[in-house]
């Protein structure tokens, strides 16, 4: 069963993106780097899905400031960029897919994926928002592709913390890339092997 993992190139002036650095360490999967550019990221994702014909797609992005690996539950049909992407694009209050549904849920077993990462010794949790930058853009585009063209595919999005070298001298959370890769391997395995999902607490108050 083919699993496709994607990570992003560095953005916002950074020299590294831990999403890609971790994805490329995960054994036994197809790993693809995507541009951090609205529209173009979806084009590259579609090409990768066509090339590899995966049963599971897990897209991965950086969420600087988060202390743990977070498995996203909901993608929203909204681009509202706080900063420009790597091509200088900065959409404001635009849909990812004009006329598309307001939101999609991930088709991964989200809570089982969180439990698998924790069982691998990595802090992890459910996230209710993937933001409104290129990560959410990609997540929504993936789920729209699955809903309209690839209904048998399981898909979702995972956010990862900064790598330690990105926060030297700063009081900000980080996680070693190798640790993140271990979590992603566990998440991919759960996505393949778990038919339903676990009934565990994963909500939030705000």
């Amino acid at each position: 069963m083919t699993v496709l993992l994607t990570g992003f190139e560095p953005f916002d002036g950074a020299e590294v993106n831990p999403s890609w650095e971790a994805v490329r360490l995960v054994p036994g999967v197809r790993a693809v780097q995507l541009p951090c550019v609205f529209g173009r990221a979806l084009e590259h994702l579609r090409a990768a899905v066509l090339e590899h014909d995966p049963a599971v797609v897990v897209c991965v992005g950086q969420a600087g400031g988060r202390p743990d690996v977070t498995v996203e539950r909901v993608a929203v049909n909204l681009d509202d960029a706080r900063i420009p992407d790597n091509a200088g694009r900065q959409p404001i209050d635009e849909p990812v897919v004009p006329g598309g549904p307001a939101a999609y849920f991930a088709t991964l077993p989200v809570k089982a994926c969180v439990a698998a990462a924790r069982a691998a010794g990595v802090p992890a949790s459910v996230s209710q928002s993937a933001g409104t930058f290129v990560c959410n853009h990609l997540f929504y585009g993936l789920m729209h592709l699955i809903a309209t063209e690839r209904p048998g595919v399981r898909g979702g999005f995972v956010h990862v913390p900064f790598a330690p070298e990105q926060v030297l001298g700063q009081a900000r959370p980080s996680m070693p890339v190798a640790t993140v890769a271990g979590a992603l391997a566990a998440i991919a395995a759960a996505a393949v092997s778990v038919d339903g999902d676990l009934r565990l607490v994963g909500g939030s108050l705000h």
Side-chain angles (χ1 to χ4, degrees):
M1 185 176 290
T2 301
V3 176
L4 172 66
L5 296 185
T6 73
F8 281 110
E9 66 184 359
F11 69 101
D12 196 26
E15 296 183 358
V16 65
N17 190 318
S19 68
W20 171 243
E21 299 305 318
V23 160
R24 67 179 184 168
L25 294 180
V26 179
V29 303
R30 302 290 190 268
V32 175
Q33 187 185 66
L34 302 179
C36 190
V37 177
F38 288 99
R40 198 178 302 163
L42 291 180
E43 293 170 2
H44 284 240
L45 174 64
R46 174 181 286 274
V49 169
L50 289 174
E51 178 182 356
H52 298 295
D53 191 26
V56 174
V57 181
V58 181
C59 298
V60 185
Q62 171 190 293
R66 293 190 187 182
D68 59 353
V69 171
T70 50
V71 183
E72 299 294 343
R73 197 188 322 232
V74 186
V76 296
N77 193 12
L78 176 66
D79 290 335
D80 193 7
R82 184 178 61 82
I83 60 174
D85 67 12
N86 283 356
R89 302 172 185 173
Q90 192 172 4
I92 297 174
D93 296 339
E94 296 181 8
V96 181
V97 178
Y104 284 111
F105 284 104
T107 52
L108 300 177
V110 171
K111 292 183 178 180
C113 288
V114 168
R118 290 174 176 171
V122 183
S125 61
V126 177
S127 170
Q128 318 300 338
S129 173
T132 55
F133 194 52
V134 184
C135 286
N136 175 78
H137 177 86
L138 181 69
F139 182 17
Y140 186 92
L142 167 65
M143 301 318 300
H144 187 72
L145 175 65
I146 289 172
T148 57
E149 300 179 36
R150 298 267 175 162
V153 174
R154 279 187 163 187
F157 197 97
V158 176
H159 266 122
V160 303
F162 281 131
E165 61 266 31
Q166 293 178 281
V167 295
L168 291 175
Q170 304 175 46
R172 306 189 72 180
S174 66
M175 185 178 289
V177 166
T179 302
V180 174
L184 295 178
I187 288 168
V192 169
S193 63
V194 177
D195 289 332
D197 202 357
L198 303 180
R199 189 170 176 81
L200 299 173
V201 172
S204 59
L205 294 177
H206 52 76

